[in-house]
Amino acid sequence: MKISPLQIGDLKATIPIIQGGMGVGVSLSNLASAVANEGGIGIISGVQIGFREPDFETNTKEANIRALKKEMKKAKELSPIGIIGVNLMVAINNYDEMVKAAVESGADIIISGAGLPTSLPKFVKGTNTKIAPIVSSGKAAKVICKLWEGRFSYLPDFIVVEGPEAGGHLGFKMNDLQEDKKINLESIVKDVLSVIKIFEEKHNKRIPIIAAGGIYTGKDIAKFIKLGASAVQIGTRFICTEECDADKKYKEAFIKCNENNIKIIKSPVGLPGRAINNEFVQRVSKEKEEVNKCFNCLKKCDPSSTLYCISKALINAANGNTKDGLIFTGRNGYKMEKIITVKQLIDELVEEVRNYE
């Protein structure tokens, strides 16, 4: 199959792959710039990005804003002509401030999920930053398009369509994620393509659809492009790369993982999530972990009742303390066997797409 570039307005990625945003500290400037340098789109996760700042515990909001600007600056220096974006969860308390910081830092794109980013267009009007919601149904795509159209006379520059096999927080109810359910990414992509066509024709604007969730091989990429998607978003597969910003022990947890080690958990965000069923997950599933410090990071998290502090758990994991850390993963996270470079991974995926018939 011939590989066509991903065109988002005036942005052109020669390789139609967006590296998914992974927090805390899994996809920062190092990984994002490496992907961008290979022709894809690199994404920095803004979730608790300031965790290595000296004043993070006492000045969390400012530390996150400062760190986001630092990581964007570094990524742009490492990939001066590449496309660098930021992933920001709607569920974070300082969402508006982080969006403003991303725009001020020159983010080429902002992708937002874990809720519908209803106010996002107002922050980018008059700038070159492109924006996209993450949706998990045609209904959600229609809602956000109508809302942005009515309030801001703006349509998404592209839409990320995430299926039930993704890692991290999932836009589905727990019951929808049971193995016997027939919800799949293919049907959701078709649904969204059908919904978006109406808006594209009305406004004479093309809205690229990006398929995400469980995409692992070049064959997967080709399948969704053939289905009508303009590109794919891949997160988990980039974890076992040398350039991934997480600690080596974090990456090794995937290499040691098998299919039975992956499970759906309930997150303090209020959404189900997919993670490696490690010692930490097993422990907090049996007893509540005491929360001594609240970072006030999530809108729906109550420190008095939450089973654990998700910030602390994710930070522990990224720093290599996997015994006390939460490790999010996509459905196929167990398939990785070794650590390779981003270039090797993208070359492998591209070759598989080209060989697809």
Side-chain angles (χ1 to χ4, degrees), residues 155-342:
L155 287 177
D157 295 296
F158 62 106
I159 295 175
V160 177
V161 181
E162 192 171 84
E165 295 190 355
H169 295 110
L170 304 169
F172 299 90
K173 294 178 180 177
M174 193 69 82
N175 288 342
D176 294 333
L177 297 168
Q178 301 304 316
E179 293 294 334
D180 60 343
K181 299 292 182 181
K182 293 184 179 179
I183 297 175
N184 58 66
L185 182 56
E186 291 93 329
S187 62
I188 302 170
V189 167
K190 288 178 183 177
D191 191 19
V192 173
L193 283 166
S194 176
V195 166
I196 293 308
K197 188 177 180 183
I198 299 166
F199 293 92
E200 289 181 317
E201 291 175 351
K202 180 180 177 182
H203 294 274
N204 193 28
K205 171 187 168 100
R206 187 160 184 274
I207 304 173
I209 300 303
I210 317 299
I215 293 169
Y216 190 83
T217 65
K219 184 179 179 181
D220 296 332
I221 296 170
K223 179 176 71 174
F224 283 101
I225 289 175
K226 198 172 181 181
L227 197 64
S230 298
V232 299
Q233 178 176 282
I234 299 175
T236 301
R237 190 85 198 266
F238 281 103
I239 290 172
C240 286
T241 60
E242 291 178 10
E243 296 89 344
C244 173
D245 294 270
D247 188 90
K248 189 177 180 181
K249 289 179 182 176
Y250 186 97
K251 303 172 191 182
E252 289 172 348
F254 286 84
I255 295 170
K256 295 173 184 175
C257 178
N258 63 54
E259 187 172 7
N260 294 326
N261 293 144
I262 295 174
K263 69 173 291 186
I264 303 296
I265 64 164
K266 185 177 181 181
S267 164
V269 179
L271 295 170
R274 179 173 282 108
I276 292 179
N277 187 23
N278 61 0
E279 189 176 325
F280 171 79
V281 169
Q282 292 168 23
R283 189 169 69 241
V284 296
S285 68
K286 295 173 184 173
E287 58 180 314
K288 182 179 179 294
E289 189 174 77
E290 188 176 352
V291 178
N292 298 314
K293 163 71 181 173
C294 178
F295 295 95
N296 194 32
C297 58
L298 300 171
K299 294 172 183 174
K300 292 187 178 181
C301 181
D302 180 356
S304 66
S305 61
T306 185
L307 293 174
Y308 58 92
C309 172
I310 193 168
S311 285
K312 181 182 175 184
L314 291 170
I315 290 168
N316 283 344
N319 282 333
N321 179 9
T322 55
K323 187 178 78 169
D324 298 310
L326 176 62
I327 305 175
F328 280 137
T329 176
R331 176 71 179 81
N332 295 311
Y334 67 94
K335 294 181 178 180
M336 295 181 287
E337 298 176 344
K338 61 182 179 179
I339 297 172
I340 60 175
T341 66
V342 164

Side-chain angles (χ1 to χ4, degrees), residues 3-223:
I3 296 177
S4 299
L6 169 60
Q7 193 81 40
I8 303 172
D10 57 353
L11 296 176
K12 184 178 180 180
T14 55
I15 304 298
I17 295 174
I18 297 177
Q19 161 251 312
M22 296 172 284
V24 173
V26 180
S27 64
L28 299 174
S29 55
N30 203 44
L31 177 58
S33 61
V35 174
N37 282 333
E38 294 304 318
I41 296 179
I43 302 293
I44 293 169
S45 170
V47 179
Q48 297 294 61
I49 193 171
F51 72 105
R52 291 194 176 114
E53 292 291 300
D55 59 342
F56 176 68
E57 292 206 2
T58 57
N59 202 17
T60 306
K61 186 166 77 170
E62 286 74 13
N64 282 331
I65 291 170
R66 188 188 318 124
L68 176 57
K69 291 180 177 180
K70 280 184 183 178
E71 291 293 332
M72 273 300 305
K73 184 175 184 290
K74 185 180 175 185
K76 289 288 187 178
E77 288 170 352
L78 292 170
S79 182
I81 61 171
I83 302 174
I84 305 290
V86 177
N87 181 292
L88 293 169
M89 291 170 56
V90 179
I92 60 175
N93 267 319
N94 62 330
Y95 177 76
D96 290 2
E97 292 96 328
M98 291 294 281
V99 170
K100 289 175 186 176
V103 173
E104 289 168 9
S105 302
D108 294 306
I109 64 177
I110 295 174
I111 298 172
S112 279
L116 288 178
T118 56
S119 61
L120 189 51
K122 74 179 181 182
F123 298 110
V124 300
K125 277 208 166 183
T127 76
N128 293 321
T129 302
K130 309 296 188 292
I131 54 175
I134 299 176
V135 303
S136 294
S137 67
K139 180 181 178 181
K142 184 176 182 179
V143 166
I144 200 70
C145 283
K146 288 188 76 173
L147 196 149
W148 283 10
E149 178 188 41
R151 285 190 191 172
F152 308 104
S153 300
Y154 198 108
L155 287 177
D157 295 296
F158 62 106
I159 295 175
V160 177
V161 181
E162 192 171 84
E165 295 190 355
H169 295 110
L170 304 169
F172 299 90
K173 294 178 180 177
M174 193 69 82
N175 288 342
D176 294 333
L177 297 168
Q178 301 304 316
E179 293 294 334
D180 60 343
K181 299 292 182 181
K182 293 184 179 179
I183 297 175
N184 58 66
L185 182 56
E186 291 93 329
S187 62
I188 302 170
V189 167
K190 288 178 183 177
D191 191 19
V192 173
L193 283 166
S194 176
V195 166
I196 293 308
K197 188 177 180 183
I198 299 166
F199 293 92
E200 289 181 317
E201 291 175 351
K202 180 180 177 182
H203 294 274
N204 193 28
K205 171 187 168 100
R206 187 160 184 274
I207 304 173
I209 300 303
I210 317 299
I215 293 169
Y216 190 83
T217 65
K219 184 179 179 181
D220 296 332
I221 296 170
K223 179 176 71 174

